Amino acid sequence: MIRCMAIDDEPLALQQVVTYINKVPFLELVAQCQSALEARQFLEQDTVDAIFCDINMPDLNGMDFIKSLTTPPLVVFTTAYAEYAVEGFKVNAVDYLLKPFGLQDFQRAANRLKERLSPQPLPAGRGDNAPVVSGATEDDTIFLKTEYRIVKVAISNIRYIEAMSEYLKVHVEGEGKPIITLLSMKKIEERLPDYFMRIHRSYIVNLKMIQEVNKNRIIMDKDTFLPIGDMYKDTFQRYLDTKFLGK
């Protein structure tokens, strides 16, 4: 059993997490707290394997609370703000649940906790200093390190890549949310085939998935518009010229 603590200053949100914990057979709720200060008092007397922790809380927010622990348990952050995801990686969060979330999302996070607490042997040749991304193979895949997992990604399914500080958001066709990985644009650009193009200092796009070009922006779908940076306009225009039919 994985001994869990739930922390949230909102009673209804706390009750939801408690209910979900009780629905997962391998989770055991040992404490529920309405503040980080209350949780700290509990941890001075007892231990847990994992914490489901809200971020926005008065007095001491969840992120600072986890950072303050000398030997923090595994943590899954619950938050209404997606921008905390990157910060969550910096404190080794196993997952983050974006409010409102359902039982399926919670189960996914619980499974990741279980994986982390059931160490698997490393493949031959791999070690702590293994590269974050492997090169493209003949079957059109690369491997990205994300949330302490190594995931295989079909290159042809990557729609576009977005730079976010020292992290990248890799948007993949059919995935509900992007893969966030600690990697530079230059590094991943070196591994992509020639149907990917840098169109902005913050964007690399899969040219095969462009739906429309409208002035200085690329339209991927009805909700996604990517800017074309001044430094990249000429290169992109030359690409368009090779594909353009008409007067």
Side-chain angles (χ1 to χ4, degrees):
M1 296 289 284
I2 300 174
R3 290 166 51 84
C4 298
M5 169 188 285
I7 311 170
D8 202 307
D9 65 307
E10 299 178 5
L12 290 178
L14 179 61
Q15 185 56 50
Q16 181 191 41
V17 174
V18 168
T19 299
Y20 287 167
I21 288 174
N22 290 331
K23 287 180 179 291
V24 179
F26 55 82
L27 298 184
E28 177 188 5
L29 179 70
V30 296
Q32 51 181 301
C33 305
Q34 287 191 262
S35 74
L37 298 179
E38 182 184 347
R40 178 179 286 168
Q41 291 176 355
F42 177 88
L43 292 176
E44 289 174 354
Q45 306 296 325
D46 206 341
T47 60
V48 297
D49 300 313
I51 298 176
F52 291 88
C53 186
D54 185 26
I55 293 179
N56 281 345
M57 294 187 290
D59 298 326
L60 180 63
N61 73 48
M63 197 74 67
D64 291 338
F65 167 63
I66 297 299
K67 290 178 181 178
S68 73
L69 298 177
T70 305
T71 54
L74 297 181
V75 60
V76 174
F77 283 117
T78 59
T79 176
Y81 302 93
E83 60 267 24
Y84 282 119
V86 170
E87 195 68 21
F89 278 98
K90 294 180 181 178
V91 294
N92 298 336
V94 173
D95 203 349
Y96 68 99
L97 294 170
L98 191 61
K99 297 178 180 178
F101 55 85
L103 180 57
Q104 184 176 357
D105 294 324
F106 186 89
Q107 180 73 61
R108 180 201 68 214
N111 288 339
R112 289 178 179 174
L113 285 173
K114 187 176 182 181
E115 290 171 5
R116 287 285 304 279
L117 290 169
S118 304
Q120 300 295 319
L122 287 171
R126 287 201 64 86
D128 291 340
N129 295 320
V132 171
V133 58
S134 76
T137 63
E138 291 182 359
D139 64 348
D140 182 45
T141 59
I142 56 174
F143 290 84
L144 297 174
K145 186 174 182 180
T146 179
E147 299 175 343
Y148 299 93
R149 299 176 300 136
I150 306 295
V151 297
K152 184 169 74 170
V153 179
I155 296 175
S156 57
N157 286 342
I158 297 175
R159 301 178 65 234
Y160 66 97
I161 299 164
E162 179 182 359
M164 185 174 59
S165 186
E166 66 266 44
Y167 291 81
L168 297 181
K169 294 170 71 174
V170 182
H171 297 261
V172 181
E173 185 78 12
E175 295 293 330
K177 66 178 184 178
I179 296 168
I180 301 177
T181 185
L182 178 60
L183 196 64
S184 69
M185 290 287 269
K186 180 180 179 182
K187 182 73 173 179
I188 200 166
E189 195 171 12
E190 291 172 352
R191 306 298 182 100
L192 296 173
D194 57 9
Y195 58 86
F196 284 85
M197 181 178 290
R198 185 84 169 263
I199 60 162
H200 187 277
R201 64 191 302 270
S202 298
Y203 292 100
I204 296 172
V205 66
N206 184 337
L207 297 170
K208 296 181 178 181
M209 294 196 178
I210 295 174
Q211 290 191 1
E212 186 178 332
V213 179
N214 189 331
K215 296 182 180 179
N216 292 327
R217 63 180 185 174
I218 288 171
I219 301 174
M220 304 297 291
D221 55 49
K222 64 183 181 64
D223 298 315
T224 308
F225 305 85
L226 307 181
I228 303 172
D230 291 340
M231 290 178 56
Y232 305 91
K233 284 181 181 178
D234 290 344
T235 302
F236 184 69
Q237 185 60 52
R238 286 195 292 271
Y239 163 75
L240 283 184
D241 289 344
T242 66
K243 301 293 183 180
F244 185 77
L245 296 179
K247 297 181 180 179

